[in-house]
Amino acid sequence: MPVLDFKIKHPRESILIRGDRKEDKTMRRYINGLRYDTDTATEVTSVGSYFGKSEFEWWTADLYVTKSGRWFLHGEGNAASRFSKPAFGSGNGRQEGSGIEPLLDGEARRLLEDANEFDAIDRYFPDEYEDA
């Protein structure tokens, strides 16, 4: 898969539109009594950090919405990213990781705004905006 060459820097959070990531995009997790499954949810867009893949803060993910309207990210990232995991045997250390992260509606909406996904915003959040 090609590496990202188009980046957007935003004052609230830097994101990217597309990036390279692992080929296997299938994952299922049970979190707080809810099932998040990439096979049954709808993939809306891809997002991630502005940082290069060699930076500790780098991450990339696909944004999904479930049939019941719940949002989540499925992605991967480096040691200082939202997807990092505890490093075993190193005290407070962190290491790269991957997984599913549930999102609130507002978090998903912000990611869509930052990625300029206008069609998705109109589809999933039609009553959140009014004309200026």
Side-chain angles (χ1 to χ4, degrees):
M1 196 178 280
V3 177
L4 170 78
D5 63 0
F6 180 74
K7 299 176 183 177
I8 296 174
K9 190 165 184 176
H10 191 277
R12 287 181 292 182
E13 177 179 349
S14 297
I15 61 147
L16 57 82
I17 303 303
R18 292 275 179 216
D20 61 336
R21 88 186 120 272
K22 295 177 182 170
E23 291 297 318
D24 183 15
K25 296 172 75 172
T26 300
M27 181 178 265
R28 179 186 309 151
R29 290 248 350 249
Y30 295 86
I31 303 169
N32 295 327
L34 299 170
R35 180 177 51 242
Y36 297 90
D37 188 340
T38 59
D39 282 340
T40 59
T42 301
E43 182 179 337
V44 177
T45 192
S46 295
V47 295
S49 67
Y50 173 75
F51 301 101
K53 193 169 183 175
S54 63
E55 300 292 327
F56 285 119
E57 297 88 354
W58 174 86
W59 62 273
T60 185
D62 293 317
L63 177 63
Y64 287 86
V65 64
T66 66
K67 293 175 185 173
S68 63
R70 296 186 186 272
W71 293 90
F72 67 95
L73 291 173
H74 171 234
E76 64 180 326
N78 289 339
S81 74
R82 67 192 311 150
F83 292 103
S84 68
K85 305 290 183 208
F88 295 104
S90 66
N92 295 335
R94 306 288 292 176
Q95 66 185 18
E96 65 182 22
S98 64
I100 285 181
E101 179 185 326
L103 300 173
L104 298 173
D105 287 353
E107 294 170 307
R109 189 177 72 233
R110 184 174 59 97
L111 286 171
L112 290 171
E113 288 173 358
D114 292 347
N116 295 319
E117 290 287 343
F118 307 119
D119 291 337
I121 291 169
D122 291 341
R123 178 177 181 187
Y124 295 106
F125 301 99
D127 299 328
E128 298 291 321
Y129 301 89
E130 60 184 61
D131 290 331

